[in-house]
């Protein structure tokens, strides 16, 4: 588990980029839910943490592709491939991310 930040330091409706390989974006929705996905849009090299969050969707700032944070599925063009999702937990007020294994690799 990778510590990200204190929950109180990530306001609702905001996101933070975690400098892992590849980078991960952690989102805190207006409803108080936490989600983490690979930070790079699958359409083109753009940071999703710099995108627009609406409910459980993030819109890429470059070409407006949209992804469902719950599943990683691309919900509109130009993106066609999903982003990888990661498990998020909060322990003692600290947000942690468990990086999902890439396809074809052991967890």
């Amino acid at each position: 588990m990778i510590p990200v930040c204190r929950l109180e330091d990530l306001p609702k409706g905001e996101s933070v980029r975690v400098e892992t390989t590849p980078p991960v974006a952690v989102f805190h929705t207006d409803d108080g839910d936490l989600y983490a996905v690979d930070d790079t849009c699958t359409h083109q090299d753009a940071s999703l943490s710099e995108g627009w969050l609406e409910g459980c969707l993030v819109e890429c700032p470059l070409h407006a592709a949209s992804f469902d944070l719950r599943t990683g599925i691309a919900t509109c063009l130009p993106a066609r491939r999903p982003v990888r999702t990661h498990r998020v937990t909060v322990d003692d007020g600290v947000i942690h991310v468990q990086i999902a294994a890439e396809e074809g690799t052991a967890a």
Side-chain angles (χ1 to χ4, degrees):
M1 296 295 259
I2 298 169
V4 176
C5 65
R6 295 201 54 78
L7 180 58
E8 63 196 33
D9 294 333
L10 183 58
K12 290 181 180 178
E14 298 292 323
S15 62
V16 64
R17 179 181 166 113
V18 182
E19 295 298 333
T20 54
T21 303
V24 169
V26 178
F27 296 88
H28 192 183
T29 69
D30 287 330
D31 291 336
D33 297 319
L34 294 165
Y35 297 99
V37 298
D38 282 351
D39 188 47
T40 306
C41 178
T42 59
H43 168 252
Q44 204 163 14
D45 192 21
S47 173
L48 294 176
S49 64
E50 295 175 10
W52 296 274
L53 181 62
E54 186 172 332
C56 290
L57 299 178
V58 62
E59 183 180 306
C60 176
L62 194 56
H63 294 115
S66 182
F67 298 89
D68 187 319
L69 296 173
R70 297 167 294 189
T71 62
I73 292 174
T75 60
C76 70
L77 297 173
R80 296 174 190 257
R81 294 186 330 258
V83 290
R84 187 171 53 147
T85 60
H86 308 283
R87 193 173 73 129
V88 180
T89 59
V90 178
D91 186 32
D92 279 336
V94 176
I95 299 169
H96 291 83
V97 173
Q98 175 67 49
I99 304 296
E102 294 201 37
E103 281 189 45
T105 64

